[in-house]
Amino acid sequence: MAQRIRSWVRGMVRRARSDGGMTTSEYAVGTIAACAFAAVLYKVVTSPPVMSALQSVLKDALDAKF
């Protein structure tokens, strides 16, 4: 009887640990979210106010006297 219970518990643990199919969908959703975030970040960084601020920072950094 104890062997049967151990076998049943092992089977339940194995089934609980397996997530077949879940990882693929999670990766797909994560990839889509990362691409959307990258697109928004690209739009923000290439906007005229941010571009001029970045150029100003770079110009000041390159013109610094040591």
Side-chain angles (χ1 to χ4, degrees):
M1 184 69 167
Q3 179 65 25
R4 199 172 189 191
I5 291 172
R6 271 190 234 119
S7 176
W8 180 80
V9 169
R10 275 191 223 116
M12 292 300 287
V13 168
R14 226 178 284 126
R15 274 186 236 118
R17 287 184 181 167
S18 76
D19 56 347
M22 287 295 284
T23 55
T24 303
S25 62
E26 288 169 354
Y27 283 128
V29 170
T31 301
I32 291 170
C35 289
F37 181 71
V40 169
L41 188 61
Y42 177 77
K43 284 291 189 182
V44 168
V45 170
T46 57
S47 67
V50 175
M51 286 287 277
S52 76
L54 286 174
Q55 287 174 348
S56 172
V57 167
L58 287 174
K59 183 176 183 268
D60 292 345
L62 292 174
D63 290 340
K65 297 194 184 200
F66 294 101

